[in-house]
Structure formats: C-alpha cells, structure tokens
Amino acid sequence: MPSQFVADLVARTLKTIMKPRLKPELRFAEIPGRTSVVAVPTRHGTVSCTVYHPASETADTGVYVNLHGGGYVVEHPEQDDPWCRYLAANAGVVVVNVDYSVAPRHRFPVAVEQVFDVVTWAARDGKRVCVGGQSAGGGLAAAAARLALEHDGPGIALQVLQYAPLDLVTHLRDKPSTVDKPLMRPWMSDVFDIAYVPDPATRRDRLVSPAWETNADGLAGIAPALVITCEFDRLRGEGIRYAEALAAVGALAEHHDVPATDHGYNILGFGTRALTERTYQRIAGHVRRATSCTARRG
C-alpha cells in the first residue's frame, strides 16, 4: 500500500497526462450542441458548469445533472461532451455538465457536497431533475441521491449510475473479472482511492461506498435508479449488489448489464458506435420518461 504522498503525486501526474481521446465514431459529431456556461454557487465555492440546451426549451424542460468520470482525480468534463449533446437532443432535457473539484487538492466530501448543491440549484422553481454519471461520476450521483433522501429533497426524478465505483472499501485486486486483463488494475485502488479518501475508515462512509456491507440499508424513498454495469468490469459486482438493494425497496427503474465489454467502453476507445448508442438510447428513454409532463403529474 503506497503512502498518501506517493498516491497524491501519482494522482497529480495522471491529471496532467490523461486526456480524453475519443474515437471519431464515438464523438457524435453530427449532433449539434448549443451551450452556455454558468457559475453555480456551492458551499465549497463557485462551480463552473457547461449547459447543453435542447432544440426546444421551455420553463418546464427537465434538467439532467451530468458528472464525468476520472477516478475522482481527473478533471475533464469535456470528455462527456458527445454524451451531453446526445442526451439534450434525444431526451429533450437541459444537461448541466459539472466541473466539480477533484482530489488530491479537494478530497471527500468536497465533490459530493458540490454536486448536491448543484442538483439543489438545478431543481429550483420545481424543475424535474435527474442526476447521473459514469465511473466516479456515477458514485457522486449515488451520493447526491442519498443526501437528497436524507435531507428530504431536492426531489430527484432519476439517478443514473453507469459502471460506478460503489465500494471503495474492497480493493480492486479482490474484485474479480471474467477476462484475463480487465481495464481496472489493482494499482488504481492504491492511487485513486487513497487520493480521494486517505483514511481507510472513512471509505466505509455510505456516501463513498454505498454498496459496502450494510450501507445499502435505509434506501426506502430514494430516487429511482437506472444502474448500468459492464460484463467484464471489476466493478460489476458492486453495481449488481446496489441494484438488488434498490430493487428491494422499489427504487430500481432498471439494471442493464452491457454485454461483452469493460469499464469505460464509451470513452476509452474499445467500444463501438452501435454498442454505445444502444446504451445511450436506453438512458435517454429513461430520462425522457422521468422528466415528462406525465411523470410530473404523477
């Protein structure tokens, strides 16, 4: 187990060298994007968010708060630009892509509380709001939904957790995969987890590891969830466990396991356009239904 100093040093290095490199076919270049930038006040300072506007926007248009991945240490919200354009165009929602603060400069719970404050801001004036993300962004979305449950609001119409890390207590070496060389390597626990939450005891917090042991108790009333896992992903098991806990309290909208692929398939270059778009269509459908006028009346 490396020291916190070493973990922080590696995390800072990765932050500078890890850049989004999407294959051309995964950029959805044919979908135009109309964006603006807003500064959202939070308890940890102002957070910059890129807002993607649908072709038709009214006062009743729903909002999707999007949280990028990156192990809680890499800050590249622009890697989700194709997804944000796709969702705005196909679900008819305003997408708020959040540039939350990352470790090691800003450790837990800074990003969680920033995201919760952005969701609260997005839900002003009674707007129907969804929150979602992939990888670390999915973990933050789960935490925001839990805080909304415990604080009796804001109301969240849907949480989308795509290949999310939901158990930082268990080391990646103890999370099996059905392939010989899964994308997630054990050293990632030694860097990302330590940089984000240096104290092992704190990794047991329900907002860090919602799928660990009894942390998934007490979920009754939480926002409905779309949980997406990947067949070859080391994080698949914790995603399934959390989906089962959500289902037990009637809060699982759907669990979808993307076949024959691994973590980050839609941004890391090995996914196909067809595979990615099938998942995006599924998510957009859930978001559209959750933010529709019919859902609002319900």
Side-chain angles (χ1 to χ4, degrees):
M1 184 71 66
S3 68
Q4 182 180 328
F5 173 80
V6 172
D8 289 355
L9 179 63
V10 175
R12 290 191 180 97
T13 302
L14 290 173
K15 186 185 302 186
T16 63
I17 65 175
M18 292 182 70
K19 307 292 184 182
R21 294 184 178 89
L22 276 73
K23 293 192 299 187
E25 67 180 71
L26 297 180
R27 295 173 185 167
F28 293 87
E30 75 283 3
I31 301 176
R34 182 168 63 91
T35 64
S36 59
V37 177
V38 297
V40 180
T42 78
R43 72 193 79 179
H44 297 291
T46 299
V47 174
S48 178
C49 301
T50 301
V51 180
Y52 293 74
H53 302 272
S56 178
E57 183 178 347
T58 71
D60 291 329
T61 299
V63 180
Y64 183 96
V65 176
N66 183 74
L67 311 167
H68 67 87
Y72 302 103
V73 305
V74 178
E75 47 188 347
H76 290 304
E78 67 272 17
Q79 76 180 7
D80 283 4
D81 173 74
W83 159 238
C84 293
R85 284 185 283 108
Y86 182 97
L87 188 62
N90 289 277
V93 291
V94 172
V95 181
V96 178
N97 194 21
V98 185
D99 189 8
Y100 58 85
S101 298
V102 297
R105 183 176 180 183
H106 301 281
R107 308 187 197 273
F108 172 81
V110 172
V112 168
E113 293 175 345
Q114 284 180 333
V115 167
F116 179 70
D117 291 347
V118 172
V119 171
T120 301
W121 170 85
R124 68 198 187 285
D125 302 324
K127 289 185 178 294
R128 288 190 66 82
V129 174
C130 305
V131 61
Q134 53 200 11
S135 197
L140 293 173
R146 185 66 173 261
L147 284 176
L149 170 66
E150 295 174 355
H151 289 79
D152 195 28
I156 295 175
L158 180 73
Q159 53 174 317
V160 179
L161 317 179
Q162 183 167 200
Y163 51 82
L166 300 170
D167 175 6
L168 269 62
V169 178
T170 306
H171 198 281
L172 274 171
R173 63 172 171 264
D174 299 318
K175 298 178 180 181
S177 172
T178 57
V179 293
D180 292 336
K181 294 183 178 180
L183 179 89
M184 302 289 283
R185 304 299 176 85
W187 66 262
M188 295 178 178
S189 277
D190 295 331
V191 174
F192 297 152
D193 298 357
I194 292 175
Y196 179 51
V197 191
D199 179 17
T202 304
R203 289 178 217 142
R204 302 178 180 183
D205 192 288
R206 75 211 182 284
L207 302 179
V208 177
S209 300
W212 180 72
E213 291 196 352
T214 60
N215 280 353
D217 293 349
L219 293 178
I222 201 167
L226 168 60
V227 178
I228 297 173
T229 55
C230 299
E231 183 180 0
F232 301 153
D233 190 4
R234 286 184 185 267
L235 305 186
R236 180 174 183 263
E238 59 213 75
I240 292 173
R241 292 199 307 275
Y242 199 57
E244 291 172 344
L246 291 162
V249 296
L252 183 66
E254 183 186 4
H255 168 224
H256 175 64
D257 194 44
V258 185
T261 196
D262 204 344
H263 192 93
Y265 67 95
N266 56 324
I267 58 172
L268 296 178
F270 52 86
T272 66
R273 168 72 179 240
L275 178 68
T276 298
E277 192 158 17
R278 281 196 296 270
T279 307
Y280 284 5
Q281 288 170 349
R282 186 181 298 270
I283 301 173
H286 276 276
V287 172
R288 190 184 312 111
R289 291 188 292 272
T291 58
S292 68
C293 292
T294 301
R296 184 184 302 273
R297 287 195 296 269

